[in-house]
Amino acid sequence: MLRVLWRQHNPIGRGTISQTCLLIRSRRIVTQASSIFVEGKTYLADDHTNVTTSILSKVPRRLHLTPNHPLNTLRQLIESSFPKFKALNSLSPLVTPKQNFDDLGFPLDHPGRSLTDSYYINRDMMLRTHTSAHEVDVFRQGVEKWLLIADVYRRDEIDSSHYPVFHQVEGARTFDLTTTAGVDALSSENAEMESKLQSSNIIVEDNTVVGEENPWQVGHDQHHASLVLANLKHHINTLIYALFAGRVKGNKEPLKVRWIPAYFPWTGPSYEVEVLFNGKWLEILGCGVVQNDTLVRSGVNDRLAWAFGLGLERIAMVLFQIPDIRLFWSTDPRFLNQFTEGNITTFKSFSKYPPCYKDVSLWVDVDKEEGAKAMQPFHENDFCDIVRDMAGDIVEDVKLVSVCCLNVPQWLTLVRKGG
């Protein structure tokens, strides 16, 4: 049983009922359309097509470029912390599976490639699942310093903190350390940045050690790599200070930041960074020294690089105190009129209606010989996408409450509750 939760009066913005016919079949949603029109171009649908009408409607929104929107304000604040970096914030979300997976070394059996996790236009085109889909191309173009902010798409559950479209920030910088002049210039820059941070009201807790569990990459000159890593840390600490320092009214205590060793397949050494905000440690981003394989694929194998990535919504929900991720997509003036360009202000709730729970039961067609085992082809993301297509953002939450296998040939019952 699925429990679906919505409010009688939609505080997010009234949803629209799509005219697209959908079927649940073979682990995905199958659209009956023979073609998909997106970003001004028509694509032929095939057996991989699983993108829905509601998702396609989000593509032209570009919330991070919408005046007065909280995500736009946060984007501008982040970009201002990297004034010498090239800002890439209007790249099309349409990429090939090669760009999204192959160029980054994703194995063929990686779950992110599956139809249950990603949105495909067809076999040859998809909606990017991360900003890293552009990483190799940007490196290949020879851009040494860049900041890429964009919408990304992943099939996901329905609740207050998950949404199938969200926004990521990815920053990267490459270094030519093949000359003494290049090494000296980086050393001088690091010393200057460190001096500025020491004069700021910030305490950085960094007891990390590069070693067996978080090693240097084979082939890297450790002195050069340590300079790149130091530069990364100075940039990240400066960014976090710009985002969070002084945001708590009346609090004059130093901003506290801590670095934690981590593992990411695209960087090494790798780290997660947290900030102490309103008495809680919040994970802000992941970062590290870019794996040399990525630079080789980009044709810049004579360089070293660092990169970081963070989610805009995650930080915006904290800074603006927005409790539900769906609110970012609201067109209700009671939401939009609360915010002005460049200002971080506290969101004020305007919904006065209580939640309403609805229970939904459905049959899932299964193969006669497979029986209960055939429940596996049905993925909960399939149902969530149908809910989004039919009810828009009215639905707040969907939870699987129970599954019942009846002794009826060729049928399996899923009892789903929703409200």
Side-chain angles (χ1 to χ4, degrees):
M1 178 175 289
L2 276 172
R3 176 158 293 156
V4 181
L5 166 66
W6 70 73
R7 295 185 185 273
Q8 189 66 29
H9 175 77
N10 179 19
I12 304 301
R14 189 170 300 280
T16 58
I17 297 180
S18 166
Q19 299 301 312
T20 303
C21 178
L22 299 170
L23 300 174
I24 298 178
R25 186 171 294 163
S26 301
R27 306 178 70 95
R28 67 190 183 93
I29 291 180
V30 182
T31 178
Q32 301 304 294
S34 60
S35 62
I36 302 293
F37 184 79
V38 58
E39 292 284 271
K41 188 175 179 180
T42 300
Y43 297 86
L44 292 178
D46 61 20
D47 61 344
H48 260 54
T49 303
N50 68 349
V51 66
T52 66
T53 303
S54 64
I55 295 301
L56 290 175
S57 71
K58 301 296 192 296
V59 172
R61 291 286 301 275
R62 304 292 200 272
L63 298 185
H64 63 295
L65 300 176
T66 302
N68 298 323
H69 196 281
L71 296 184
N72 182 53
T73 292
L74 187 54
R75 172 189 65 81
Q76 292 176 331
L77 181 57
I78 293 173
E79 289 180 348
S80 68
S81 297
F82 296 87
K84 296 182 179 180
F85 282 54
K86 183 175 183 179
L88 305 169
N89 53 39
S90 57
L91 297 179
S92 170
L94 296 178
V95 298
T96 65
K98 178 179 182 299
Q99 290 173 297
N100 201 77
F101 299 120
D102 299 342
D103 285 350
L104 299 171
F106 278 72
L108 293 177
D109 60 351
H110 192 280
R113 293 178 181 263
S114 70
L115 295 173
T116 59
D117 281 28
S118 300
Y119 289 107
Y120 286 84
I121 307 300
N122 54 35
R123 280 184 171 271
D124 301 320
M125 192 65 62
M126 65 184 299
L127 295 173
R128 62 185 165 221
T129 64
H130 46 206
T131 50
S132 299
H134 304 282
E135 184 176 282
V136 170
D137 290 336
V138 177
F139 278 144
R140 187 178 289 127
Q141 293 167 12
V143 183
E144 295 183 359
K145 305 175 183 179
W146 50 270
L147 198 66
L148 199 160
I149 302 180
D151 45 333
V152 298
Y153 301 76
R154 297 180 191 175
R155 299 187 68 188
D156 212 338
E157 58 195 286
I158 296 178
D159 61 36
S160 63
S161 61
H162 293 84
Y163 204 80
V165 191
F166 56 102
H167 297 74
Q168 285 186 337
V169 179
E170 182 162 350
R173 182 180 180 183
T174 68
F175 302 85
D176 182 359
L177 300 180
T178 59
T179 65
T180 301
V183 173
D184 290 344
L186 180 54
S187 298
S188 177
E189 179 184 325
N190 285 349
E192 182 179 351
M193 294 188 73
E194 183 176 7
S195 177
K196 288 182 178 179
L197 282 167
Q198 288 177 346
S199 63
S200 301
N201 194 25
I202 183 174
I203 296 176
V204 179
E205 179 184 316
D206 184 1
N207 299 316
T208 60
V209 177
V210 179
E212 184 178 348
E213 295 184 358
N214 200 21
W216 300 111
Q217 294 178 43
V218 176
H220 275 182
D221 181 294
Q222 290 189 15
H223 175 59
H224 292 173
S226 65
L227 288 174
V228 171
L229 180 56
N231 189 260
L232 165 66
K233 291 184 175 183
H234 294 329
H235 274 287
I236 296 303
N237 290 330
T238 300
L239 169 63
I240 293 178
Y241 187 75
L243 291 176
F244 290 95
R247 299 298 177 192
V248 180
K249 188 175 181 180
N251 185 1
K252 297 182 180 180
E253 292 292 320
L255 183 71
K256 295 182 180 180
V257 177
R258 67 182 180 188
W259 287 70
I260 301 171
Y263 169 77
F264 304 114
W266 309 282
T267 56
S270 302
Y271 303 90
E272 291 177 347
V273 187
E274 298 181 341
V275 62
L276 186 63
F277 190 71
N278 283 334
K280 296 181 180 180
W281 284 103
L282 305 175
E283 180 185 333
I284 301 301
L285 56 81
C287 61
V289 178
V290 176
Q291 286 289 349
N292 193 57
D293 288 348
T294 300
L295 299 177
V296 170
R297 283 191 289 268
S298 306
V300 289
N301 48 298
D302 58 338
R303 289 175 170 265
L304 272 71
W306 56 250
F308 74 89
L310 59 85
L312 273 188
E313 280 86 350
R314 181 182 181 88
I315 296 177
M317 290 176 78
V318 172
L319 292 179
F320 291 89
Q321 297 183 36
I322 296 174
D324 193 316
I325 195 170
R326 297 170 307 140
L327 279 163
F328 290 112
W329 295 92
S330 175
T331 56
D332 192 319
R334 292 176 298 172
F335 174 78
L336 298 176
N337 292 344
Q338 292 191 34
F339 308 103
T340 56
E341 197 82 4
N343 295 315
I344 294 179
T345 53
T346 300
F347 166 73
K348 295 179 176 59
S349 179
F350 50 82
S351 175
K352 63 180 180 180
Y353 293 93
C356 176
Y357 292 91
K358 300 293 183 182
D359 293 344
V360 180
S361 299
L362 60 143
W363 296 92
V364 177
D365 191 6
V366 301
D367 186 275
K368 182 177 180 180
E369 296 182 0
E370 291 288 339
K373 294 181 180 179
M375 180 185 150
Q376 294 178 358
F378 176 83
H379 197 280
E380 192 163 336
N381 285 345
D382 296 330
F383 183 79
C384 288
D385 271 334
I386 291 176
V387 170
R388 289 190 179 99
D389 248 20
M390 297 298 105
D393 287 336
I394 295 176
V395 177
E396 291 186 11
D397 195 15
V398 174
K399 292 181 179 179
L400 178 62
V401 176
S402 61
V403 177
C404 178
C405 184
L406 300 181
N407 188 24
V408 179
Q410 300 185 16
W411 289 94
L412 178 70
T413 301
L414 283 182
V415 184
R416 295 194 166 250
K417 280 206 168 183

